[in-house]
Amino acid sequence: MTPRLIVSDLDGTLLGSDHRLHADTIEVLRTLVSHGHQLVLASGRHYADMRVFRDQLDVPIHLISSNGAYTHDPDDQLLNANHVDPRQAAALIRLPRPDGVRLSLYMDDAWYIDAEMPSYLNMHAATGFTYQVVPPAKMPTEGIGKILYGGPPDALFKIETAIREISDGMLHVTYSTSDSLEIMAGGVNKGVALSALLKRLSIAPEDCLAFGDNLNDVEMLSLVGEPHFMLNSHPEMAGHLKTARQIGHHGEAAVAVLLRERFGL
């Protein structure tokens, strides 16, 4: 069988409802690597956050983090980094927002947030990744891979509208969940990062399987030969992905189930 590259989002896709890897998922992915296939994890999470799952799987895995802002090889070598323009970053940090909306910056090696938000740490309990509180007036404007606004969807829609008016095409704006508005440099997304990695690895897109659940996965899923989206996906996913296959729920290790079927494990 032709070796394939298998790329997956994490939250809402490969991880269970507890934001952890299911035992069956670990077993299937390790088996596929032993059969000569390659793995990529592609997430909005910070690289340091994702690395814990790679280490748990204990097989070689490339990591695409912060929605494509960074790509690392299995030996932790940084292959690519894309930062938000400092002038754009400064404008976003200054952008008015309601009290209930939190502002986060994903730096090269840290997560900054404008105020305490303990509920944000629940999804990172398995990795121990945590934020540092930095007042907006003291936030840096250089070395930012991703800017994140978290809050009610109606408030985020107003912020998104304002960002699109001032960005002049210099920013990539997307959602990882309905309450998570994420901004990267223009032209930065998981699909672009995966395309560059496929060229580096000399793998054709048609030899790649991909899995995702939200709007920040659309470009990645649109690139590959075998795209899949989850039963629990954003309701607009099917409209963006005419040829993709819908599979089961992330809480039932549906990616592992599909991979067992696809590769006859």
Side-chain angles (χ1 to χ4, degrees), residues 64 67-71 80 187-198:
I64 294 172
N67 287 328
Y70 305 96
T71 302
N80 197 25
V188 174
N189 58 64
K190 294 183 185 181
V192 170
L194 178 59
S195 179
L197 181 58
L198 290 175

Side-chain angles (χ1 to χ4, degrees), residues 58-116:
D58 195 27
V59 292
I61 302 176
H62 283 80
L63 299 181
I64 294 172
S65 59
S66 298
N67 287 328
Y70 305 96
T71 302
H72 288 80
D73 74 5
D75 297 319
D76 291 323
Q77 179 180 350
L78 178 64
L79 302 180
N80 197 25
N82 296 277
H83 297 121
V84 177
D85 180 271
R87 292 168 297 178
Q88 292 283 347
L92 294 179
I93 293 169
R94 293 194 304 265
L95 194 69
R97 58 187 183 280
D99 291 340
V101 174
R102 295 275 63 79
L103 170 66
S104 291
L105 307 182
Y106 273 27
M107 314 297 295
D108 291 351
D109 56 3
W111 169 17
Y112 296 158
I113 193 169
D114 63 342
E116 290 283 356

Side-chain angles (χ1 to χ4, degrees), residues 20-42:
R20 298 174 186 268
L21 288 167
H22 191 280
D24 193 44
T25 301
I26 295 173
E27 178 185 353
V28 167
L29 294 180
R30 287 177 177 172
T31 299
L32 288 171
V33 171
S34 73
H35 290 179
H37 303 290
Q38 298 187 61
L39 302 180
V40 177
L41 299 180

Side-chain angles (χ1 to χ4, degrees), residues 95 98 152-163 165 175 181:
L95 194 69
D154 56 342
L156 295 185
F157 177 74
K158 294 177 181 178
I159 294 173
E160 176 194 359
T161 301
I163 291 172
E165 289 176 351
Y175 286 85
L181 175 64

Side-chain angles (χ1 to χ4, degrees), residues 230-262:
M230 313 303 292
L231 181 63
N232 52 277
S233 289
H234 188 286
E236 295 180 12
M237 290 291 279
H240 287 291
L241 303 164
K242 301 299 185 182
T243 63
R245 175 181 175 182
Q246 186 178 54
I247 63 173
H249 196 281
H250 77 110
E252 300 173 352
V255 173
V257 172
L258 183 284
L259 291 173
R260 281 194 184 278
E261 170 195 298
R262 170 66 176 78

